[in-house]
Amino acid sequence: MLSQQQNDEKWMDYALLLADKAELENEIPVGAVLVKDDQVISEGWNLSILNHDACAHAEIMAIRSAGQVIKNYRLIDCTLYVTLEPCPMCAGALVHARIKRLVYGAGDYKTGAAGSVFDLVRSEQLNHQIEVTSGIYAEQCATKISDFFKRRRKEKKALKKAMLQESENEQ
């Protein structure tokens, strides 16, 4: 039988593979997998850009799918594994869905709502609190996202340079 740490690492490996799916679609590489009794209930990855939907974060995609699978919006006794700390929108959805446990990789020091900037998932003011484990493969998760943004900035810079050269050539 796997220890809790080994089990968390197993599922975070899976979430990292889902983040790769997002990146293949030129989305911010965040992946999420929802697990109950060591079985995948649903999965998701960022689709905000492709779907033109600000709410299409990996966590939301996994929650929406899970609700359809189990025919209930309450995801009692489920654990969500996600490569990046949830934002306030996603944290609120996790609380509303009654997720039991959240495991995330990289902290989000701009909008994280599971301890970094806010702590919505453990707020005593809300009707449900979530058990949180952070930092599982944090470096791998953070590197995946920062490499994506470095590449994207480089691509934008190259495109801008090409457009500038093209306009100079036209003159």
Side-chain angles (χ1 to χ4, degrees), residues 52-125:
H52 310 291
D53 180 356
C55 298
H57 289 191
E59 302 94 322
I60 299 295
M61 302 310 288
I63 289 169
R64 286 176 179 164
S65 178
Q68 296 302 307
V69 168
I70 67 171
K71 305 294 184 219
N72 194 337
Y73 77 93
R74 291 187 175 193
L75 306 173
I76 310 283
D77 294 327
C78 290
T79 298
L80 182 79
Y81 293 87
V82 62
T83 56
L84 181 66
E85 179 181 1
C87 70
M89 172 187 70
C90 294
L94 294 171
V95 169
H96 190 65
R98 308 300 195 279
I99 298 291
K100 180 178 183 177
R101 187 166 175 255
L102 166 66
V103 180
Y104 69 85
D108 184 342
Y109 303 102
K110 292 182 180 177
T111 64
S116 293
V117 178
F118 307 102
D119 201 357
L120 289 177
V121 297
R122 291 180 282 210
S123 174
E124 294 292 327
Q125 294 169 304

Side-chain angles (χ1 to χ4, degrees), residues 12-73:
M12 191 59 73
D13 279 332
Y14 191 88
L16 281 161
L17 291 174
L18 297 172
D20 291 340
K21 286 186 175 191
E23 189 163 14
L24 286 172
E25 298 187 44
N26 218 17
E27 293 278 351
I28 297 169
V30 178
V33 59
L34 195 76
V35 175
K36 183 175 183 177
D37 299 326
D38 209 37
Q39 299 292 312
V40 173
I41 302 297
S42 66
E43 57 189 42
W45 53 91
N46 276 3
L47 290 169
S48 294
I49 297 166
L50 191 66
N51 289 355
H52 310 291
D53 180 356
C55 298
H57 289 191
E59 302 94 322
I60 299 295
M61 302 310 288
I63 289 169
R64 286 176 179 164
S65 178
Q68 296 302 307
V69 168
I70 67 171
K71 305 294 184 219
N72 194 337
Y73 77 93

Side-chain angles (χ1 to χ4, degrees), residues 126-142:
L126 300 177
N127 62 336
H128 177 73
Q129 290 78 43
I130 299 172
E131 178 188 333
V132 177
T133 301
S134 61
I136 303 295
Y137 293 156
E139 192 172 315
Q140 284 175 260
C141 295

